[in-house]
């Protein structure tokens, strides 16, 4: 039931975030080009946490796991819908960028 459902959600988020981090590193503008709030929020988290991962953690191997661990269930589900259905969210995303 629910366990398999959440397992799939977590695998999808983990795969997606690792993929964009491997591709973009610390290039915030590249994350914005993904056209979803998950990528932008992840990039913001990365920016805020860079000193921690460089100085305390000694690397970024736990970055994606830490970020996902901080998500609520509802936010994780919302993020999956952003990844899987970006067109529907593109207008919301553009409005968000204008406000912030």
């Amino acid at each position: 039931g629910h366990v398999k459902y959440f397992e799939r959600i977590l695998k999808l988020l983990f795969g997606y975030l690792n993929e964009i981090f491997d591709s973009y590193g610390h290039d915030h503008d590249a994350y914005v080009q993904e056209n979803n709030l998950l990528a932008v929020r992840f990039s913001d988290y990365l920016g805020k946490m860079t000193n921690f991962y460089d100085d305390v953690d000694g690397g970024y191997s736990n970055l994606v796991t830490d970020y996902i661990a901080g998500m609520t269930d509802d936010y994780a589900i919302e993020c999956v819908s952003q990844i899987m259905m970006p067109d529907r969210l593109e207008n919301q995303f553009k409005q968000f960028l204008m406000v912030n």
Side-chain angles (χ1 to χ4, degrees):
H2 291 303
V3 175
K4 282 231 180 296
Y5 176 70
F6 278 105
E7 211 172 86
R8 279 188 215 123
I9 286 173
L10 295 175
K11 281 182 182 166
L12 182 72
L13 292 173
F14 187 79
Y16 175 73
L17 291 173
N18 270 308
E19 181 186 310
I20 62 174
F21 180 61
D22 288 345
S23 298
Y24 305 147
H26 294 268
D27 181 359
H28 182 72
D29 291 340
Y31 291 96
V32 172
Q33 295 304 311
E34 285 288 305
N35 270 347
N36 67 65
L37 294 178
L38 171 60
V40 173
R41 287 177 176 148
F42 176 72
S43 177
D44 288 344
Y45 173 82
L46 172 60
K48 288 182 189 127
M49 298 297 288
T50 296
N51 289 344
F52 170 79
Y53 287 104
D54 284 341
D55 301 343
V56 180
D57 218 39
Y60 291 84
S61 58
N62 296 319
L63 172 73
V64 170
T65 306
D66 291 347
Y67 186 74
I68 292 172
M71 291 182 170
T72 63
D73 293 349
D74 288 345
Y75 180 58
I77 292 165
E78 181 192 318
C79 289
V80 167
S81 72
Q82 288 180 29
I83 298 168
M84 301 308 288
M85 298 176 279
D87 296 343
R88 183 172 64 86
L89 291 152
E90 197 166 336
N91 289 337
Q92 277 176 263
F93 178 70
K94 286 181 177 147
Q95 286 173 333
F96 173 81
L97 286 180
M98 286 177 205
V99 171
N100 284 287

